[in-house]
C-alpha cells in the first residue's frame, strides 16, 4: 500500500543518513545501494556487540557494519556486492559469537552478518512430522530448535553440551557431545543445506545434489559458504533422563569402561557417554559441579589417596514415563559391567530438556557472580586412543599441576560415525578422545588463574604433544600460519584449497579463521 511504501521510504532515508554519518561516502555507495529486506546497522553499540567473542582473547575491533538479514536472498545480495566490487570486503556470518579466537570477526573493513537477529524476520523452524526432520534458519540457536521440535514430541539426535550456539556455527565445526559415539557429530545428522557461496550464489546441497559443497561446508569453518538453512534429522524425544556420575582413580580402568560403553549398540546401552578429569579441589570451582550438591557431597579424600588425579564417568539413560518401572533394573544391569569405585555413584533424574539445557543453568550462576564474561583460553583436542594414556601422564598428571581453573572433559568417539567426506578433521584412528580444557582466566585471581599462565600452559601442552609425537588434532582449530593449517588438514588440504578457489575465489568469507589471505 501507499502507506507502507511511504514508511519504508522514510526508514530507508533514516538508514542512509545514519550510514553517511557513520561510514563516509565510499562505503555508503557500496552498502547503501544494496536492495535488501534486512537491516544494516552502523550504531557504535551494535558494532561493539559483535566485535568480541566468548574467548575474549583478542582486542575488539569494530567492523564497518553489521547486517541483520531476513532471508537467504538478503545474505546473497550482500555477498554478491562484495564479490562484484573492485575491492572485495570481508563478510562473516556470526552465529552467537561463541568462538574463542575471533573466528567470527571480520576486521574494520568487513561486514558481520548477524545470523541470530530474530527481529529481522528470519524463517521459523519448520517441523515435518512424517519425514522426521526440521528445517531451520542457519542462525537459529539449538535451544530454540529443541523447544520447537519438542512441541511435536521430536528432537534432534546429536547435541552440543551447551545449547546457546547457532546451527550454522556448530555445523561449521562438527557439533559434539556425549551422543556422538552413537549418532556421530551434528554434521552427521544433516540432510540438506541452503548455502550462499562466496560468489553470492544460493545453492541447495545434500547427499544427492551439489554433494561436494554439502560435505565441504560441514565442518568447513565457514570457508565455502554461509549456511542459511539446515535440514536436521529428528527422532522421537525421550521424556526423562537418568543422569549418573561415577568416579575412578585408575585412568586405565576409566578409559577401558568408556571404550566399552561406546562399543555398545542397539537398545541396551547408555545414550550419552562423557567424562571429566579432577586434578584438584577444582570440583568446588568447577562450573559443572552443581551435580555434586551439598546434599550429596563428594568426599574426595574417601576415594583418592594422596590427592592424585580422579576421573569421573558421566552417563545417561533416556526413557519414557511408561518405562519408569523397569528403568532401575535396566540401569543396574548396564552398570554391573563397569569397574568404578563402588562408593562413588551420584544419580539425578530429570526431564530431557533440563538435561540438554544443563550448562545454561551453570551459565546463569556464573553470570550472577560476574564470572561468565571473562577471558576463556580454551583448548580442545582430539587425541588418538593409542596415545591417550601418554597424554594422561604428560598433561593431566604432569603439565596441569594441581590447579585447573575450569572443567576438563574427556570422552571417546567412534570415527566410523564421522563422514570422511566432510571437512572436519579427526585423528587417523578408529577411536579418538575429545579432551576439552575449558578454563576461565581471572585478572585478580591467583597466578595459576591468570590468562598468561593458562595460555602458556596451552602452549606447553601442544609442545608436549609435538615432542611426544602424539598426533592430536585441534577441535575448533586455531592456527597462526598457513603451514600449520596445511598440517592440520593433512590429506584433506588439497580438496579444501581447491574448494576455496571454486566457491570463494576472492576470499570473502569467514576471514577470522585466518586460513587464507584476505580478500583481493
Ligand atoms: P560463531 O562463533 O558465531 O561462529 C563460528 C564460525 O562459524 C565463524 O567462523 C563464523 O563465521 C562461522 N559461522 C557462523 N555461522 C555460520 C553460518 N550460518 N554459515 C557458515 N559459517 C558460519 N562445541 C561443541 O561441538 N560441543 C560442545 O559441547 C560445545 N560447548 C560449548 C560451550 C560453550 C559455553 C561455548 C562458548 C562453546 C561451545 N562449543 C561447543 C563451541 C561451539 O560449537 C563453537 O563456538 C561454534 O563456533 C558455535 O558457536 P556460534 O554459533 O556462536 O558460532
Amino acid at each position: 500500500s501507499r502507506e507502507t511504501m511511504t514508511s519504508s521510504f522514510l526508514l530507508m532515508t533514516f538508514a542512509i543518513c545514519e550510514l553517511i554519518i557513520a561510514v563516509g561516502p565510499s562505503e555508503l555507495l557500496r552498502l547503501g545501494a544494496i536492495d535488501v529486506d534486512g537491516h544494516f546497522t552502523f550504531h557504535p553499540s551494535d558494532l561493539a556487540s559483535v566485535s568480541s567473542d566468548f574467548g575474549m582473547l583478542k582486542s575488539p575491533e569494530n567492523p564497518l557494519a553489521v547486517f541483520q538479514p531476513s532471508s537467504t536472498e538478503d545474505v546473497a545480495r550482500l555477498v554478491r556486492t562484495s564479490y562484484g566490487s573492485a575491492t572485495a570486503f570481508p563478510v562473516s556470518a556470526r552465529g552467537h559469537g561463541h568462538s574463542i579466537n575471533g573466528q567470527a570477526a571480520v576486521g574494520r573493513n568487513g561486514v558481520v552478518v548477524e545470523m541470530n537477529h530474530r527481529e529481522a524476520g528470519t524463517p521459523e523452524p519448520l517441523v515435518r512430522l512424517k519425514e522426521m526432520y526440521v528445517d531451520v534458519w542457519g542462525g537459529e540457536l539449538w535451544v530454540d530448535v529443541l523447544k520447537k521440535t519438542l512441541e511435536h514430541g521430536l528432537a534432534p539426535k546429536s547435541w552440543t553440551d551447551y545449547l546457546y550456539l547457532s546451527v550454522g556455527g556448530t555445523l561449521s565445526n562438527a557439533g559434539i557431545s556425549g551422543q556422538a559415539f552413537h549418532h556421530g557429530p551434528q554434521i552427521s545428522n544433516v540432510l540438506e543445506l541452503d548455502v550462499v557461496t562466496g560468489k553470492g550464489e544460493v545453492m541447495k546441497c545434500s547427499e544427492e545434489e551439489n554433494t561436494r559443497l554439502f560435505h565441504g561446508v560441514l565442518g568447513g569453518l565457514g570457508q565455502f559458504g554461509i549456511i542459511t538453512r539446515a535440514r536436521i534429522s529428528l527422532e522421537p524425544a525421550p521424556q526423562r533422563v537418568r543422569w549418573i556420575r561415577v568416579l575412578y582413580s585408575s585412568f586405565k580402568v576409566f578409559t577401558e569402561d568408556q571404550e566399552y560403553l561406546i562399543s555398545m549398540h542397539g537398545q541396551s546401552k547408555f545414550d550419552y557417554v562423557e567424562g571429566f578429569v579432577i586434578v584438584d579441589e577444582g570440583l568446588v570451582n568447577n562450573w559443572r559441579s552443581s551435580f555434586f550438591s551439598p546434599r550429596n557431597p563428594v568426599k574426595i579424600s574417601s576415594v583418592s589417596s594422596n590427592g592424585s588425579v580422579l576421573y569421573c564417568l558421566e552417563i545417561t539413560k533416556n526413557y519414557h514415563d511408561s518405562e519408569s518401572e523397569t528403568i532401575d533394573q535396566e540401569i543396574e544391569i548396564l552398570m554391573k559391567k563397569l569397574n568404578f569405585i563402588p562408593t562413588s555413584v551420584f544419580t539425578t533424574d530429570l526431564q530431557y530438556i533440563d538435561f540438554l539445557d544443563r550448562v545454561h543453568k551453570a551459565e546463569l550462576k556464573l553470570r550472577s557472580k560476574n564470572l561468565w564474561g571473562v577471558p576463556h583460553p580454551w583448548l580442545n583436542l582430539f587425541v588418538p586412543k593409542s596415545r591417550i594414556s601418554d597424554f594422561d601422564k604428560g598433561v593431566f598428571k604432569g603439565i596441569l599441576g594441581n590447579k585447573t581453573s575450569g572443567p576438563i572433559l574427556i570422552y571417546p568417539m567412534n570415527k566410523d560415525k564421522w563422514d570422511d567426506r566432510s571437512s572436519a578433521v579427526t585423528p587417523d584412528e578408529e577411536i579418538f578422545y575429545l579432551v576439552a580444557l575449558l578454563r576461565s582466566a581471572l585478572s585478580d585471581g591467583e597466578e595459576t588463574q591468570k590468562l598468561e599462565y593458562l595460555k602458556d600452559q596451552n602452549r606447553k601442552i601442544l609442545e608436549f604433544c609435538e615432542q611426544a609425537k602424539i598426533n592430536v588434532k585441534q577441535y575448533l582449530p586455531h592456527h597462526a600460519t598457513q603451514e600449520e593449517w596445511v598440517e592440520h588438514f593433512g590429506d584433506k588440504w588439497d580438496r579444501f584449497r581447491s574448494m576455496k578457489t571454486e566457491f570463494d575465489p576472492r576470499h570473502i568469507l569467514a576471514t577470522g579463521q585466518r586460513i587464507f589471505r584476505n580478500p583481493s
Side-chain angles (χ1 to χ4, degrees), residues 54 93 95-99 103 160-161 166 172-173 176 227 475 513:
F54 183 79
H96 211 213
H98 277 55
S99 292
Q103 283 92 336
T160 46
D161 293 348
S166 77
S172 297
N173 286 289
I176 49 172
I227 300 167
Y475 176 54
Q513 297 279 3

Side-chain angles (χ1 to χ4, degrees), residues 466-480:
E466 199 171 319
Q467 276 159 17
K469 296 201 166 26
I470 303 177
N471 287 327
V472 295
K473 293 288 180 191
Q474 282 190 39
Y475 176 54
L476 313 169
H478 169 59
H479 294 291

